[in-house]
Amino acid sequence: MTMGDETPVTSLVLPVILRPILSKLERQNVSAAQTLRAALSKAESSHPGITHDLVLGIVRRADLNLNMNESILRLQGVASDIDVEYRLARSEDAFQELNRKSASLKKILSRIPDEITDRKTFLETIKEIASAIKKLLDAVNEVAGFIPGSAGKQALEQRKREFVKYSKRFSNTLKEYFKEGHFRHSFQSKRSLCECALLDSSDEYDNGYSQE
């Protein structure tokens, strides 16, 4: 995976890993943190995936045995509480409820790497994920009534379709994971589930609606 290859992992490195670090740095040196934040955001915007390559290079240089998918999946459960750029800015209850439902789903998904090898616990987590997805989609439907103009509504509907597509992919991967009633612990199955969970968690609905 190199710069320019847009995947859930590459798109989440900046908000999930780097921005929380910059938020901590800001407490010590506001100017330096803001300069770094602006530079990294500009670089990522111009060259998608560059922050992923940066972090991956540091991990390799340190000779760390790190699964990026699992690490980001764990961290994104708390990133939405730290990074305001993860949240819709509008104050209406519908938008704030969407923020809450989105954060709730992320937190549940973030437990997958730690719970996936415990069949009983993981089955309960799957039920929570299904419920959280439904509640998030209900919240999106409520927000739709606040979006003016056909262009905005179409954009929201497109994001909703993408989210549903990723959710179905996650569901299909789960079925494969439990194929023929065998709970398989293979690395590839676990990796596929984490990748699909990242697809679910990365599909944000803040597509300019907060500015209306």
Side-chain angles (χ1 to χ4, degrees):
M1 190 181 303
T2 58
M3 189 173 62
D5 296 334
E6 189 68 16
T7 70
V9 175
T10 59
S11 64
L12 287 171
V13 165
L14 180 58
V16 173
I17 296 179
L18 296 180
R19 282 183 186 151
I21 294 174
L22 293 172
S23 294
K24 291 182 179 180
L25 175 61
E26 202 165 21
R27 299 170 194 165
Q28 301 175 3
N29 191 321
V30 175
S31 178
Q34 290 179 346
T35 299
L36 280 172
R37 185 189 297 267
L40 289 170
S41 297
K42 183 177 180 179
E44 183 66 27
S45 178
S46 301
H47 305 285
I50 193 171
T51 53
H52 169 269
D53 291 347
L54 172 64
V55 171
L56 194 59
I58 294 172
V59 169
R60 287 173 176 168
R61 189 69 177 268
D63 196 24
L64 297 174
N65 182 18
L66 182 69
N67 184 305
M68 192 72 82
N69 284 344
E70 291 187 21
S71 298
I72 291 180
L73 193 54
R74 286 188 178 97
L75 290 170
Q76 59 88 39
V78 296
S80 56
D81 292 333
I82 299 172
D83 192 350
V84 296
E85 294 180 50
Y86 247 101
R87 300 193 292 270
L88 295 163
R90 289 182 57 163
S91 60
E92 293 95 327
D93 289 343
F95 286 89
Q96 293 306 309
E97 183 66 10
L98 180 55
N99 280 333
R100 288 190 288 270
K101 298 307 181 188
S102 177
S104 176
L105 176 59
K106 287 183 174 71
K107 288 178 180 178
I108 298 171
L109 291 170
S110 72
R111 288 156 35 195
I112 288 177
D114 295 320
E115 298 180 353
I116 197 171
T117 54
D118 184 329
R119 181 185 179 90
K120 184 178 180 180
T121 300
F122 190 44
L123 286 172
E124 290 301 315
T125 300
I126 291 171
K127 294 177 184 178
E128 288 185 55
I129 291 171
S131 176
I133 288 174
K134 182 182 182 302
K135 290 177 181 178
L136 178 58
L137 289 173
D138 288 342
V140 172
N141 291 333
E142 289 296 319
V143 163
F146 291 84
I147 307 300
S150 59
K153 292 182 185 298
Q154 288 174 3
L156 180 63
E157 187 61 30
Q158 177 61 31
R159 297 309 300 271
K160 181 180 175 181
R161 284 196 294 269
E162 291 173 1
F163 178 77
V164 170
K165 178 182 71 175
Y166 297 144
S167 296
K168 288 181 178 178
R169 185 183 302 179
F170 178 73
S171 178
N172 289 335
T173 306
L174 276 174
K175 292 176 183 177
E176 184 66 22
Y177 194 80
F178 290 103
K179 191 176 182 180
E180 298 176 355
H182 297 297
F183 190 64
R184 301 181 299 138
H185 302 292
S186 72
F187 171 79
Q188 186 58 44
S189 296
K190 187 175 180 181
R191 179 180 178 184
S192 295
L193 269 179
C194 289
E195 287 176 347
C196 288
L198 282 170
L199 283 170
D200 260 1
S201 66
S202 66
D203 198 65
E204 291 298 308
Y205 286 96
D206 189 359
N207 201 9
Y209 313 128
S210 61
Q211 304 303 319
E212 297 293 345

